[in-house]
Amino acid sequence: LGRCDCTNQKIYININQGEDSVKDTLLHEIIHGISYLMGLGDDDPEEAFVGRISTGLRIVINDNPWLFPVIFTSRKIIKPDKS
């Protein structure tokens, strides 16, 4: 569904899948790139870990759109009202 070419710093995604699957695959491959950059191995246990983390991150991002401006800017943490 996707591939991270760490040597050339490129990520390839097969777009012939559902929208959620494309997003999940992109996060999955980004995590592989980070894993490579940080010197972690690329074996089967990592593949299972990356798969679960990428799905979990996509859920967090989807359910909490207010969170990322807080992480990536100097904005203070103020959780929005659910009213």
Side-chain angles (χ1 to χ4, degrees):
L1 302 177
R3 182 172 67 87
C4 181
D5 179 352
C6 296
T7 304
N8 295 304
Q9 299 180 343
K10 295 184 186 261
I11 290 177
Y12 301 94
I13 305 292
N14 178 348
I15 60 169
N16 296 318
Q17 51 184 319
E19 185 178 344
D20 283 344
S21 185
V22 167
K23 292 175 184 177
D24 200 61
T25 301
L26 178 58
L27 279 171
H28 181 101
E29 298 307 327
I30 288 170
I31 293 168
H32 274 302
I34 292 168
S35 181
Y36 174 82
L37 180 67
M38 298 299 169
L40 303 174
D42 189 23
D43 51 17
D44 287 340
E46 185 217 353
E47 184 65 29
F49 173 79
V50 167
R52 288 182 177 99
I53 290 296
S54 59
T55 300
L57 276 174
R58 189 179 54 77
I59 291 167
V60 168
I61 291 166
N62 190 58
D63 291 351
N64 300 282
W66 59 272
L67 187 59
F68 283 82
V70 171
I71 293 171
F72 296 112
T73 68
S74 59
R75 231 167 120 183
K76 293 183 180 181
I77 298 175
I78 300 173
K79 192 172 177 181
D81 291 332
K82 296 254 180 180
S83 42

